[in-house]
Amino acid sequence: MVFNLFTDQSSYYLEEESETLLQVTSSRSDDDLGFSISNDAYVSFEIVTQSDNSITLRIKSQQVDRPRLANLRVTASLGDEQTYLDLYFSINNTSATALVADVTTLITSEGGKAAFEELADVADYYLKMAYYSKQITASERENITGQLSATSVLSVNQIEEDYASYLEGDISDVELNNLYLSALEHFNVSAAGFWNLLEAVQAELAGALPEIDAFSLQVDSTLQQVSFFIGNPSFGSSHDAQWVFLEQYDFLGALLPNVPGFGGQCLADSSSFSANSSQAL
């Protein structure tokens, strides 16, 4: 006698590394009825219960490096008779969501150009303060400014090519993540010259302005910012898609042009700066 297998649906949608229970039922009920299930690289299964006419499976999706389609074939055997049912699973690639958002934010940032412009603005501000307080001469300031303008800015072309390869399925999440981290490291190396010069200027200011000694390019897809300051926990924190600087670095909010949600006023007249001041203007 011909018999068939049934389930409530033949296709399922799963987030990666999630699980679901499903039941497959036979049109024949017999204590000799046997079930077998095929294997698939992207989902695993466990037999939870089995009766004379049904089997309950716990299906768990694996971690995937892009959206995947998995298939399990449930076969029922009764003597010489066999029938099967194919189950399909669409698995969403959720683990790469944040990575892809950060990569695309970096790609659309013009190679981090704005981040380096911010860094130059901050360094120039410290230079002005050192000059106005007579800690450095005009020629020293001009020399350092020339060194800042000569600092190279990394092109983002390579990570853009890597992302295109990722979209084509040629590289995995892990490979894209490693390439992305490598790109960030190149940005930090390119910025090292700025920070070395800034450190020297800060030494001349003798604590008159808050010390800036932590740098790492931050890519924040929520704030849509690529910056050495915005998104860096050394300088502040994010609240409801707004960036709030720590009190000692609040002057950066007025100095930098693209601070999300910042409502500060312009900096005080730099001519009022005093080398004996213990805080930023």
Side-chain angles (χ1 to χ4, degrees):
M1 182 182 295
V2 175
F3 65 102
N4 297 304
L5 296 179
F6 305 93
T7 189
D8 59 344
Q9 60 192 81
S10 60
S11 60
Y12 299 83
Y13 178 87
L14 295 175
E15 302 291 350
E16 64 179 334
E17 297 187 296
S18 66
E19 60 181 46
T20 187
L21 290 175
L22 61 88
Q23 185 179 67
V24 178
T25 303
S26 168
S27 60
R28 287 278 299 276
S29 180
D30 194 300
D31 57 8
D32 289 331
L33 186 66
F35 290 93
S36 63
I37 302 98
S38 63
N39 292 309
D40 189 281
Y42 303 118
V43 293
S44 61
F45 65 88
E46 174 189 355
I47 299 174
V48 179
T49 61
Q50 183 172 339
S51 67
D52 290 348
N53 74 326
S54 69
I55 188 172
T56 301
L57 302 174
R58 176 179 286 110
I59 308 297
K60 183 175 181 180
S61 61
Q62 307 300 306
Q63 186 179 49
V64 293
D65 61 0
R66 63 197 64 256
R68 297 289 186 180
L69 183 65
N71 167 235
L72 290 180
R73 174 167 289 189
V74 180
T75 302
S77 303
L78 186 59
D80 294 333
E81 298 178 51
Q82 281 190 340
T83 191
Y84 65 86
L85 176 67
D86 283 322
L87 303 173
Y88 298 95
F89 303 89
S90 297
I91 305 172
N92 188 28
N93 179 24
T94 54
S95 63
T97 301
L99 171 62
V100 167
D102 286 347
V103 169
T104 53
T105 299
L106 178 60
I107 289 173
T108 56
S109 72
E110 296 185 22
K113 179 181 178 181
F116 279 85
E117 289 176 347
E118 287 180 349
L119 190 52
D121 286 343
V122 172
D124 184 60
Y125 178 69
Y126 274 68
L127 274 171
K128 287 178 180 177
M129 296 303 100
Y131 171 68
Y132 292 146
S133 62
K134 301 185 185 305
Q135 303 302 309
I136 61 174
T137 65
S139 60
E140 287 174 329
R141 176 186 170 190
E142 184 178 345
N143 179 54
I144 295 174
T145 301
Q147 294 180 58
L148 291 176
S149 63
T151 301
S152 62
V153 178
L154 176 75
S155 170
V156 80
N157 290 345
Q158 185 58 56
I159 191 64
E160 191 169 5
E161 292 177 9
D162 295 334
Y163 183 57
S165 296
Y166 171 77
L167 294 178
E168 292 294 325
D170 296 332
I171 62 175
S172 66
D173 288 350
V174 173
E175 291 171 311
L176 179 63
N177 185 63
N178 290 338
L179 292 166
Y180 170 65
L181 294 177
S182 179
L184 294 185
E185 180 59 25
H186 282 296
F187 274 97
N188 291 332
V189 170
S190 296
F194 278 96
W195 293 97
N196 291 337
L197 292 168
L198 185 58
E199 184 178 32
V201 175
Q202 288 180 145
E204 296 291 340
L205 287 169
L209 285 174
E211 185 174 350
I212 294 177
D213 59 2
F215 80 95
S216 178
L217 189 70
Q218 306 294 309
V219 179
D220 193 316
S221 58
T222 301
L223 298 175
Q224 287 294 296
Q225 291 287 318
V226 176
S227 171
F228 288 99
F229 303 99
I230 302 167
N232 190 328
S234 296
F235 300 109
S237 57
S238 179
H239 302 276
D240 298 325
Q242 294 188 339
W243 179 253
V244 180
F245 282 104
L246 296 172
E247 185 176 357
Q248 67 268 36
Y249 295 115
D250 193 54
F251 73 100
L252 291 175
L255 182 63
L256 305 180
N258 299 310
V259 183
F262 183 79
Q265 302 301 313
C266 293
L267 292 173
D269 184 353
S270 57
S271 63
S272 65
F273 175 79
S274 168
N276 297 321
S277 172
S278 61
Q279 61 183 7
L281 295 177

